[in-house]
């Protein structure tokens, strides 16, 4: 049953499975019509049919965000469809093997989706929503954005990029009527892990969050106006302290002089006989 109506349309990438499919279900319940983008057209249609039975309009865009033409089609929808009021920038690929054991061609493909396609779509949504004076952009990052020692550095770096990009967007779009959120889930119980080379059953059960729980927590954070939502973080003061420490560095990140510890030692004075 719909809890709200007239919310506009939500476009979700990576909607054929995992968090994307749960976002589709939850946003449909909130009264959004949907545009579902993903690689698996069969799964997209199955999900669309289920949501249509609840009375929502659902459109599908089948495509691979590793292909620029498919990215451009979603860009076009974001820029031209004035009904779109919410964008979930969710599509992504994983890499979990150590760098020295990784296929660099596959890492390049991951970067194309996690960074290049992500950026193009986020920029399109931002431009469109600012022109319309309202809109919501949800960027799906990962907890490994804050833990570079874990998993694969290229994957961690791509998710740190999403977090950094979102923080910059929020600063740039302040006062435009556009809400921005970065979601940093930990391990979530989806097939995402197996596709990246680490089957879910190989992870400690105590760190794996059910996908429905993760999405519901992320939407609760959105409702509370959070810029960054970490679904499993018990004490938000930990995040606030992290942000405060980062900001404390700011005045000293660019100065006319090098720090004293990097300066050459003073020349000794002239010797006296």
């Amino acid at each position: 049953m719909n809890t709200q109506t007239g919310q506009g349309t939500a476009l979700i990438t990576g909607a054929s499975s995992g968090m994307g499919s749960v976002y589709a279900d939850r946003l449909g319940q909130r009264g959004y019509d949907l545009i579902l983008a993903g690689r698996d057209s069969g799964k997209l249609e199955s999900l669309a049919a289920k949501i249509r039975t609840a009375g929502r309009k659902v459109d599908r865009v089948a495509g691979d965000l590793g292909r620029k033409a498919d990215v451009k089609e979603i860009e076009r929808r974001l820029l031209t469809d004035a009904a779109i009021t919410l964008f979930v920038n969710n599509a992504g690929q994983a890499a979990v093997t150590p760098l020295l054991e990784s296929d660099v061609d596959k890492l390049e493909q991951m970067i194309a989706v996690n960074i290049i396609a992500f950026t193009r779509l986020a920029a399109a949504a931002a431009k469109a929503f600012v022109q319309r004076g309202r809109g919501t952009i949800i960027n799906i990052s990962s907890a490994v954005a804050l833990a570079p020692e874990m998993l694969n550095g290229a994957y961690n770096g791509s998710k740190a990029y999403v977090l950094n990009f979102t923080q910059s967007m929020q600063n740039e779009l302040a006062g435009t009527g556009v809400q921005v959120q970065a979601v940093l889930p930990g391990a979530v119980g989806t097939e995402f892990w197996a596709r990246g080379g680490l089957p879910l059953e190989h992870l400690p059960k105590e760190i794996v969050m059910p996908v429905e729980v993760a999405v519901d927590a992320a939407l609760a954070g959105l409702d509370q106006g959070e810029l960054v939502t970490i679904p499993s973080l018990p004490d938000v003061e930990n995040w606030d302290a992290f942000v405060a420490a980062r900001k404390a560095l700011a005045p000293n990140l660019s100065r006319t002089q090098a720090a004293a510890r990097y300066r050459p030692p003073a020349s000794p004075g002239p010797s006296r006989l």
Side-chain angles (χ1 to χ4, degrees), residues 1-19:
M1 180 179 296
N2 298 329
T3 58
Q4 299 181 43
T5 59
Q7 297 281 59
T9 298
L11 193 160
I12 305 167
T13 62
S16 56
S17 63
M19 291 184 66

Side-chain angles (χ1 to χ4, degrees), residues 9 75-86 124-135 176-178:
T9 298
E75 283 185 78
R76 185 190 68 78
R77 295 291 293 266
L78 287 166
L79 290 167
T80 62
D81 188 342
I84 297 173
T85 58
L86 188 149
K127 290 176 183 177
F129 291 167
V130 168
Q131 288 179 350
R132 297 166 199 161
R134 67 168 185 149
T176 65
V178 180

Side-chain angles (χ1 to χ4, degrees), residues 146 163 167 228 230 233 235-244:
L146 305 174
L163 173 60
Q167 290 170 312
V228 176
I230 305 173
L233 185 67
D235 191 345
V236 72
E237 290 182 0
N238 294 151
W239 171 253
D240 293 340
F242 180 86
V243 172

Side-chain angles (χ1 to χ4, degrees), residues 253-269:
L253 293 178
S254 182
R255 305 181 70 175
T256 58
Q257 297 292 325
R261 66 184 180 280
Y262 300 132
R263 297 174 193 165
S267 301

Side-chain angles (χ1 to χ4, degrees), residues 79-100:
L79 290 167
T80 62
D81 188 342
I84 297 173
T85 58
L86 188 149
F87 175 49
V88 184
N89 207 352
N90 168 69
Q93 295 182 9
V96 298
T97 56
L99 176 63
L100 298 183

Side-chain angles (χ1 to χ4, degrees), residues 169-193:
M169 283 184 76
Q170 192 263 353
N171 183 63
E172 185 173 341
L173 301 183
T176 65
V178 180
Q179 181 179 4
V180 181
Q181 180 196 33
V183 180
L184 278 64
V188 177
T190 72
E191 61 191 49
F192 179 83
W193 292 93

Side-chain angles (χ1 to χ4, degrees), residues 9-31:
T9 298
L11 193 160
I12 305 167
T13 62
S16 56
S17 63
M19 291 184 66
S21 64
V22 178
Y23 264 108
D25 174 75
R26 298 305 197 257
L27 292 173
Q29 291 181 32
R30 287 180 173 225

